[in-house]
Amino acid sequence: MSYSNTLAQGKWVEGYIITNQNDTIQGLIRDADWAESPESIQFKGKDGLVTMISATNANAFNIGPDHDIYKSKKIGLLRITVTDTYKADPSLETLDSVQVFLQEVVAGGKASLYLYLNAKEEPHFFIENNHSLKELYYYPFNKIIRNTTYLLTIDEYKNQLKKLTENTILSNEPIPVYQEKYLKIYLEKYNNIFPDHHQIYQSKDNKLTFDVDINTGLENWKEDRLVLNNKFTFGVGIRINLPRKHYNRHLKINYFLTPNLLVRDQNSYRKVLLKTLEVGVGGYFGAKSVRPYVGLHYSIASGGYRFDFLGLQAGISYKRRFNLEIGHFANFISPFYGTRFLTPPRISLHYLVNLNDQRNKSR
């Protein structure tokens, strides 16, 4: 253990660590939502000192209201990626190892399941049975066969699970797909077969969360037929937040209204209410209270008063509740309409109303 004053990203939440001597120490853990399985964490004790605790210095830690459990495990690593092309099937022999905290997904008297996230945020699962920890092998890879590249898959995990459940009532059930949700169900069934070794723990499912978006701003759009006599715009929307390790990423749908827009018809003008529907994807950077974000959105205006728009938006956020946003300042489909690529943007302030539990409010 070593002391550190590092200002890492994340939120301090209640938890505890279990030392190598099996002592339990209560405190605060910086929850970084770990898109990659951590080799160390930051822990703040009652004395207020921040301690860097590596996976070699602790057996486990427990964090947050969901009591997520991470256990220190030494695992072998395979370097099989879909970005490489192989002439032969890649070997399942590990070349190096690492000590990391794996999230415990299922804990059972007969078998436990752990989740490992690599540097590319790809999930790999490990199963512990009879005090032996083994990876469930599932790897897509590209292979050249007679000068043609094929996308193939190593799905050895199916044989591993068949061997685990042989001579049980699960032996005739189909093997689940290689996803956390279905592997959890399968392991739960397996543990419950044995009355003396029933299910002990199962992590909670990660779910999408939702926020209502209430916004107001100034619209600066310019086209030959349009006159923004009143630049005031307002609207509502919804933001859909991806779960757990992707919590900074989101989908959103917004409906903007711009009143008193003047549209020229030959030699006269008439007022219209411009209605704009925007669908986008984006992501925030970091986990501090103030964090930037960018997104890509597709914009559809009613009445044909404006060309459709595929462009960028960016902004700065405070606790992901207040967003100051610059929208549609670059249009990627402008060559098809003969419009400008860089356009006068909409500047808007968004207030996001949280509809979820306290844990997600801290994100």
Side-chain angles (χ1 to χ4, degrees):
M1 299 185 183
S2 61
Y3 292 97
S4 171
N5 292 319
T6 304
L7 296 176
Q9 295 176 341
K11 196 80 173 180
W12 289 108
V13 298
E14 292 184 354
Y16 62 82
I17 61 171
I18 299 177
T19 68
N20 289 336
Q21 293 74 37
N22 288 323
D23 296 324
T24 300
I25 304 176
Q26 301 282 344
L28 298 176
I29 296 173
R30 192 182 287 276
D31 185 357
D33 262 313
W34 301 296
E36 179 181 359
S37 295
E39 296 183 27
S40 62
I41 62 169
Q42 283 190 302
F43 179 79
K44 184 187 293 185
K46 294 182 179 179
D47 55 8
L49 292 177
V50 177
T51 307
M52 292 295 296
I53 298 179
S54 72
T56 58
N57 299 137
N59 282 335
F61 69 88
N62 182 302
I63 184 171
D66 291 340
H67 300 288
D68 292 334
I69 299 172
Y70 289 77
K71 291 189 174 180
S72 174
K73 300 290 181 180
K74 187 174 184 178
I75 60 172
L77 298 180
L78 296 176
R79 305 297 184 185
I80 303 173
T81 69
V82 293
T83 57
D84 295 330
T85 302
Y86 300 85
K87 296 182 179 179
D89 290 353
S91 170
L92 294 179
E93 181 179 352
T94 59
L95 300 178
D96 53 6
S97 61
V98 63
Q99 189 91 14
V100 295
F101 288 109
L102 301 181
Q103 184 181 3
E104 190 170 51
V105 178
V106 171
K110 291 295 289 185
S112 296
L113 184 70
Y114 296 92
L115 170 63
Y116 169 70
L117 295 169
N118 63 19
K120 296 182 179 179
E121 304 181 14
E122 298 167 338
H124 294 279
F125 296 94
F126 286 75
I127 192 167
E128 192 171 47
N129 176 245
N130 295 327
H131 306 289
S132 176
L133 182 70
K134 295 182 180 180
E135 181 178 356
L136 294 175
Y137 296 118
Y138 178 83
Y139 287 90
F141 67 99
N142 289 305
K143 182 179 179 181
I144 297 178
I145 302 176
R146 293 188 291 274
N147 297 322
T148 302
T149 301
Y150 296 89
L151 179 62
L152 305 178
T153 302
I154 296 174
D155 54 1
E156 179 60 22
Y157 84 96
K158 294 180 179 179
N159 294 327
Q160 292 172 284
L161 291 180
K162 285 179 181 178
K163 184 175 181 181
L164 174 72
T165 59
E166 62 184 358
N167 301 322
T168 71
I169 58 175
L170 284 180
S171 60
N172 295 323
E173 286 204 11
I175 299 298
V177 297
Y178 197 80
Q179 294 179 13
E180 180 178 335
K181 176 181 177 180
Y182 302 104
L183 290 174
K184 283 168 64 173
I185 295 172
Y186 193 80
L187 264 292
E188 181 182 15
K189 290 180 180 179
Y190 175 72
N191 282 310
N192 289 335
I193 291 173
F194 308 92
D196 297 332
H197 300 280
H198 57 82
Q199 190 84 358
I200 299 172
Y201 164 84
Q202 184 175 140
S203 64
K204 291 189 176 181
D205 292 331
N206 297 317
K207 298 179 180 179
L208 298 173
T209 58
F210 301 88
D211 300 309
V212 173
D213 182 348
I214 302 171
N215 59 76
T216 184
L218 296 175
E219 179 62 86
N220 294 291
W221 188 272
K222 292 181 180 179
E223 285 190 19
D224 292 341
R225 291 183 61 209
L226 304 181
V227 177
L228 289 175
N229 188 44
N230 180 4
K231 294 187 176 183
F232 172 70
T233 187
F234 61 96
V236 295
I238 188 168
R239 182 178 67 188
I240 305 169
N241 307 293
L242 300 187
R244 193 57 185 162
K245 64 188 178 68
H246 298 299
Y247 76 102
N248 254 342
R249 302 169 191 175
H250 59 268
L251 311 173
K252 62 178 184 176
I253 303 172
N254 282 104
Y255 189 62
F256 295 98
L257 299 173
T258 307
N260 298 324
L261 180 75
L262 294 180
V263 178
R264 187 179 67 211
D265 290 328
Q266 295 180 348
N267 296 323
S268 62
Y269 288 89
R270 57 189 174 90
K271 289 184 179 181
V272 300
L273 175 65
L274 180 66
K275 304 172 185 177
T276 305
L277 176 67
E278 291 187 355
V279 180
V281 296
Y284 294 84
F285 297 97
K288 295 182 179 180
S289 294
V290 178
R291 60 186 95 168
Y293 67 94
V294 296
L296 180 71
H297 68 276
Y298 186 71
S299 176
I300 305 169
S302 65
Y305 302 127
R306 198 181 78 183
F307 289 116
D308 292 350
F309 197 101
L310 176 64
L312 292 173
Q313 56 186 223
I316 192 78
S317 173
Y318 177 69
K319 293 186 176 180
R320 298 209 321 160
R321 298 295 122 215
F322 295 93
N323 291 351
L324 181 61
E325 180 174 294
I326 301 175
H328 63 60
F329 59 87
N331 185 2
F332 292 114
I333 57 176
S334 59
F336 298 100
Y337 295 116
T339 58
R340 291 187 296 173
F341 175 71
L342 296 177
T343 65
R346 176 197 303 116
I347 301 175
S348 54
L349 179 64
H350 299 248
Y351 174 60
L352 284 301
V353 181
N354 193 296
L355 302 179
N356 311 292
D357 60 28
Q358 186 62 41
R359 176 178 173 83
N360 292 311
K361 288 180 183 179
S362 69
R363 299 296 180 217

